Amino acid sequence: MYTKEQTQVLQLLTSKVLKDAASVDQLRDVLRFHEFRYYILNDPLISDVEYDTLYKSLEKLETENPELITDDSPTQRIGSSLNKDFVTVAHLVPMLSLDNSYNSQDLVDWDKRVRGLVSSSNIEYSAEPKFDGASISLIYENDKLTRGATRGDGIAGDDVTTNIRQIGSVPLFAKFSDYGIDKIEIRGEVLMTKENFKKYNLLLASEGIPPLANPRNAAAGSLRMKDPASVRKRRLEAILYHVSFVSLNEKKIKGAELLKTHAGSLELLTSLGFKTPFNDKRVFSSIEEVVSFCEEFEVRRDTLPYEIDGMVIKVNSVEYQQQTGSTTHHPRWAIAYKFKARQASSKLLKVEFQVGRTGSVTPVAKIEPVQIGGVTVTSISLFNADVVAEKDLRIGDTVLVERAGDVIPYIVKPLSELRTGKEKKIIFPENCPVCYDPLVKPEGEAIWRCININCEAQVVERIIHFVSKDAMDIRSLGEANIRKFYKLGLLKNIPGIYTLDYKEVSKLEGFGEKSMNNLKSAIDRSKAQSLNRLIFGLGIRYVGETTAKVLGKSVESILDLANFSLEELQELKDIGDKVSESIFEFFQNADNIAIIKTLASAGINIKGDKKEASTGTLSGKTFLFTGTLPTLKRGDAEKLAEENGGKLLSSVSNNLNYLVAGDSAGSKLEKAMKLKTIQIINEQDFLNMIQP
Ligand code: IVH
């Protein structure tokens, strides 16, 4: 897309526009270049802070000169308004599906059929991954993205342009005109990478929301979301793999040449800044080579950043594609080679209800053991009562189970046509299956809970979480031992780990001298773990590792957290209302404080990483920076404040001493003006405070 020289020029321009005033066009060129480096190459050349600075400069210029705003400006991705009902739009060319093949013989047969339809025996095939996401169609007119649509029924789909604009790797502007292209329709797939999928599910889990089943559903569901901002949060990607319609003008020569082949079309799209399978595809002149390539790819399948469910083989020459034509369902010039299924059917034997460490009651399906992708699956979480009801699952059902790569297995659906009438309804218990206390379902939540914090199941799960790898990491005290010790009355709660009666333990089977030494030293070692691990290990609701780290850095001792007001907690980085309330509640509870004190007296580290109150000139003072400062970058100004002993706050409150306001300071300035106690200063005032 960008040559080495262009990259150098744009990098120079970047430094220039970061320092001096720049034109709208310069800022847009530079921002588009950095979007490309970030979203397409995954190789950014500037920091997020620098990107934000550039973005804000463009935003400012556009706010001051609204006549300069264009639809394809990098500032125009983020739609603020919600999607209304999606309008149905006809595709320029029907979006057909692909015929499937499952083995080498199927491909050999297809090759024969193609050869029977094409005028030449010199046929090239291009093979590439078959992406497992949601298909989309994009239209660009006069270099601008004018429409994005879902597949729908293949003839017409939903207009989801606003949501597609949230996907960073979809260019809003691409110089098709350089190739003599006035209008083009492109096909592709919207995906979520496996890594982002996992992160997103962790986020959902921390909010008590059941996880999404797989990256495909995550992508497909995203396209039809009402709120574009939520689409953005899902960090989707789009890979484009087919040009379905093109209108060329008199300058057509350059584009026409590339568009003669599929590989050329991918090259053209790649050169314009799209993500495509250009680097993964290979062109072959025999079907045997195609078969080996597909087989090799299947082996590598799990090493790719996203899910693929097979390969797609296409006749490379567009002229020959036209000679083969299409049926009403699929083109004859392309075929999917499907990888081995990651789905299998099995019988739902029973549903057990498990109580988690926060008391959540999760239905777990026990199924007849079934092999999927080399793993035997016997147990599958059903998340909550709503999921069970939605899928209309019944005991005795034959169910379709899917397990993709490292995604946890899930039940896709019951095969209701195989029902005999003997299947039984799944009845959700009204009482905790462990302590028998009545279950409650808090307002607005999908999960039933046992609220007896002394419920045996919760206590055991809390201990298991406390010793887990990302918490205190006491490996020799695994789940099985904890359950055993608890049953025998040797371990009753978290502090009990540090007063374990080793003499009694050593009498148990499997606890010879060596394992005893391992156990003792692992428990001893854990005493020195950093505070963030202890905080995470305490299992405070909504407090994941990231929040635990923030808390660990904000205090000198964990006990200081008991003195934090709700407001002070909310001022900490990235801690929202729900999380701060949960932390506040936890530290106001005397039982929890008693546990922490017992741990401390057993020698567990409770010291945080808060830098000693600095002796700097800003010591004891709190700061918040807003707007564009005349000389300092936001990040640098914040660093200066901290280096001089100041504390940064993330919102305006009575605890704020100084609001350093630059240009275009918005709501924070307004709020600070209302709260009379805050001093509003400019960059120079701030610099004067730290100058000797
Ligand atoms: S080509 C007219 N290439 O798979 C043929 N399709 O199961 C255009 N798909 O509807 C499609 N990866 O949504 C093509 N590399 C790829 C693909 C791909 C995934 C999807 C596409 C298609 C479906 C058929």
Side-chain angles (χ1 to χ4, degrees):
M1 158 84 181
Y2 293 93
T3 61
K4 208 167 155 193
E5 287 84 54
Q6 284 170 325
T7 303
Q8 283 166 355
V9 169
L10 279 155
Q11 205 39 18
L12 274 177
L13 188 60
T14 306
S15 341
K16 185 175 158 320
V17 299
L18 272 169
K19 279 198 235 96
D20 309 328
S23 72
V24 165
D25 284 340
Q26 282 176 325
L27 281 167
R28 284 186 191 153
D29 283 349
V30 166
L31 279 164
R32 282 187 188 124
F33 168 66
H34 292 295
E35 281 187 349
F36 173 78
R37 296 290 315 190
Y38 184 89
Y39 291 111
I40 308 286
L41 299 188
N42 293 328
D43 185 17
L45 292 176
I46 54 172
S47 68
D48 290 359
V49 178
E50 284 168 322
Y51 180 87
D52 287 346
T53 310
L54 293 168
Y55 187 93
K56 291 213 175 93
S57 311
L58 176 59
E59 209 172 37
K60 183 166 172 256
L61 258 183
E62 289 179 341
T63 317
E64 286 163 0
N65 309 285
E67 71 284 359
L68 295 179
I69 301 177
T70 55
D71 266 4
D72 59 350
S73 169
T75 56
Q76 302 301 302
R77 272 193 198 279
I78 303 156
S80 51
S81 56
L82 296 186
N83 285 304
K84 301 213 179 63
D85 288 339
F86 295 105
V87 177
T88 308
V89 285
H91 299 302
L92 299 185
V93 172
M95 281 177 89
L96 301 179
S97 60
L98 292 171
D99 200 5
N100 287 328
S101 70
Y102 298 93
N103 51 46
S104 58
Q105 190 56 46
D106 290 348
L107 285 182
V108 169
D109 293 347
W110 173 70
D111 171 51
K112 275 202 198 110
R113 290 200 296 277
V114 170
R115 288 181 189 280
L117 296 165
V118 170
S119 59
S120 158
S121 58
N122 253 340
I123 301 175
E124 278 184 341
Y125 293 119
S126 178
E128 70 200 31
K130 183 172 183 306
F131 305 101
D132 197 8
S135 38
I136 50 157
S137 140
L138 305 178
I139 297 180
Y140 285 79
E141 284 167 284
N142 302 322
D143 296 342
K144 288 183 187 175
L145 171 69
T146 52
R147 194 181 85 183
T150 61
R151 178 174 186 278
D153 63 3
I155 304 296
D158 284 337
D159 184 333
V160 288
T161 315
T162 312
N163 286 349
I164 283 182
R165 289 171 75 94
Q166 311 309 313
I167 305 174
S169 59
V170 172
L172 302 182
F173 167 88
K175 277 241 160 242
F176 283 107
S177 53
D178 277 358
Y179 290 97
I181 296 169
D182 292 334
K183 181 171 181 177
I184 187 164
E185 187 187 48
I186 327 169
R187 299 278 152 83
E189 208 83 358
V190 168
L191 314 157
M192 200 185 240
T193 62
K194 293 181 206 165
E195 199 189 331
N196 281 339
F197 174 74
K198 268 197 212 151
K199 280 192 195 151
Y200 191 72
N201 266 350
L202 281 177
L203 181 79
L204 292 182
S206 75
E207 292 175 1
I209 303 171
L212 298 170
N214 57 34
R216 180 193 341 118
N217 289 10
S222 310
L223 287 179
R224 292 183 44 82
M225 289 203 300
K226 289 272 177 222
D227 180 10
S230 315
V231 182
R232 197 164 186 82
K233 274 197 210 136
R234 291 195 176 191
R235 296 178 172 276
L236 303 170
E237 292 193 3
I239 301 190
L240 285 306
Y241 46 64
H242 178 62
V243 171
S244 47
F245 170 89
V246 62
S247 140
L248 291 155
N249 60 33
E250 66 286 355
K251 284 204 293 175
K252 62 179 141 192
I253 326 309
K254 204 173 159 197
E257 197 47 41
L258 282 174
L259 291 167
K260 278 185 181 163
T261 62
H262 171 67
S265 306
L266 294 184
E267 185 182 333
L268 185 148
L269 292 174
T270 308
S271 79
L272 289 174
F274 290 85
K275 230 181 194 161
T276 76
F278 181 71
N279 287 325
D280 282 331
K281 67 101 187 49
R282 293 272 297 275
V283 177
F284 301 103
S285 46
S286 79
I287 200 70
E288 287 71 27
E289 290 167 292
V290 170
V291 170
S292 324
F293 182 59
C294 292
E295 288 168 351
E296 281 161 31
F297 230 103
E298 182 159 7
V299 177
R300 289 202 283 130
R301 169 184 195 180
D302 287 336
T303 64
L304 298 179
Y306 25 72
E307 286 291 339
I308 63 171
D309 59 344
M311 303 291 287
V312 181
I313 303 104
K314 301 171 185 175
V315 169
N316 195 27
S317 149
V318 172
E319 186 190 343
Y320 297 166
Q321 287 182 2
Q322 281 156 1
Q323 289 180 10
T324 70
S326 300
T327 71
T328 44
H329 299 295
H330 50 77
R332 293 195 188 88
W333 49 263
I335 193 161
Y337 173 87
K338 299 278 276 194
F339 291 159
K340 270 167 217 75
R342 282 176 154 173
Q343 287 190 339
S345 63
S346 176
K347 201 148 222 132
L348 176 54
L349 301 174
K350 60 176 175 176
V351 173
E352 288 180 353
F353 294 87
Q354 286 180 359
V355 186
R357 83 184 139 84
T358 58
S360 57
V361 177
T362 309
V364 179
K366 299 287 168 182
I367 59 164
E368 253 169 28
V370 63
Q371 284 270 330
I372 316 176
V375 171
T376 309
V377 182
T378 55
S379 207
I380 304 176
S381 172
L382 297 170
F383 305 115
N384 63 38
D386 292 355
V387 172
V388 175
E390 221 170 83
K391 298 202 167 159
D392 185 24
L393 285 175
R394 299 180 204 172
I395 314 259
D397 263 340
T398 305
V399 289
L400 190 62
V401 180
E402 180 164 321
R403 193 196 74 92
D406 37 13
V407 174
I408 50 170
Y410 75 105
I411 292 187
V412 182
K413 58 173 184 184
L415 301 174
S416 44
E417 58 275 31
L418 299 182
R419 278 188 181 149
T420 60
K422 288 199 185 131
E423 294 75 17
K424 289 202 200 84
K425 274 199 145 186
I426 296 167
I427 299 167
F428 218 87
E430 288 176 3
N431 292 75
C432 170
V434 179
C435 74
Y436 307 110
D437 265 20
L439 299 179
V440 295
K441 190 169 159 186
E443 180 103 3
E445 283 192 22
I447 293 169
W448 285 91
R449 281 178 197 282
C450 164
I451 51 167
N452 167 17
I453 55 160
N454 295 318
C455 168
E456 174 183 330
Q458 290 183 50
V459 176
V460 172
E461 292 300 328
R462 281 202 293 268
I463 305 176
I464 293 172
H465 174 73
F466 186 83
V467 305
S468 64
K469 189 163 110 311
D470 298 325
M472 298 299 268
D473 194 17
I474 313 180
R475 284 180 213 191
S476 1
L477 190 63
E479 182 173 338
N481 285 336
I482 291 175
R483 290 191 194 284
K484 192 193 261 171
F485 294 176
Y486 189 88
K487 270 222 165 73
L488 295 170
L490 290 169
L491 181 59
K492 293 198 174 76
N493 48 32
I494 289 174
I497 297 170
Y498 298 96
T499 52
L500 205 56
D501 187 340
Y502 290 125
K503 215 164 144 201
E504 284 301 311
V505 174
S506 66
K507 290 184 194 157
L508 302 175
E509 209 184 301
F511 285 91
E513 204 182 320
K514 203 168 154 213
S515 1
M516 281 312 295
N517 286 339
N518 281 345
L519 183 62
K520 277 186 214 161
S521 62
I523 292 178
D524 272 344
R525 258 199 322 270
S526 77
K527 293 182 179 171
Q529 289 287 22
S530 52
L531 181 59
N532 56 297
R533 281 175 173 270
L534 173 64
I535 295 176
F536 176 60
L538 289 173
I540 309 166
R541 224 170 142 202
Y542 307 126
V543 176
E545 282 175 88
T546 318
T547 306
K549 279 186 188 147
V550 174
L551 293 175
K553 264 199 226 158
S554 313
V555 291
E556 282 167 33
S557 152
I558 188 173
L559 292 167
D560 297 348
L561 285 169
N563 303 325
F564 272 58
S565 68
L566 201 53
E567 213 177 35
E568 283 168 325
L569 286 168
Q570 276 158 4
E571 280 161 4
L572 299 176
K573 196 167 170 275
D574 296 332
I575 295 189
D577 292 357
K578 203 165 65 175
V579 186
S580 55
E581 271 163 34
S582 167
I583 302 169
F584 184 72
E585 238 173 65
F586 185 93
F587 285 97
Q588 292 309 308
N589 179 321
D591 290 343
N592 292 333
I593 301 295
I595 289 178
I596 294 170
K597 287 192 173 154
T598 317
L599 288 172
S601 55
I604 283 90
N605 168 48
I606 59 161
K607 279 210 194 90
D609 296 327
K610 184 181 174 188
K611 306 231 167 53
E612 290 297 313
S614 155
T615 46
T617 40
L618 305 184
S619 158
K621 303 201 170 95
T622 55
F623 290 84
L624 175 61
F625 295 84
T626 184
T628 316
L629 303 177
T631 60
L632 290 172
K633 280 193 220 149
R634 172 88 55 89
D636 293 341
E638 290 177 343
K639 220 161 128 202
L640 267 177
E642 282 190 316
E643 278 167 5
N644 286 281
K647 187 177 158 205
L648 298 173
L649 297 190
S650 61
S651 62
V652 176
S653 73
N654 278 324
N655 294 323
L656 182 65
N657 301 129
Y658 295 96
L659 182 83
V660 188
D663 270 0
S664 324
S667 58
K668 286 184 180 146
L669 178 58
E670 270 171 40
K671 192 165 172 202
M673 280 157 75
K674 281 188 202 134
L675 294 176
K676 300 268 171 328
T677 52
I678 300 170
Q679 294 203 44
I680 298 164
I681 59 174
N682 63 22
E683 183 191 88
Q684 195 51 53
D685 301 330
F686 168 70
L687 289 171
N688 291 343
M689 289 173 82
I690 52 179
Q691 242 102 58

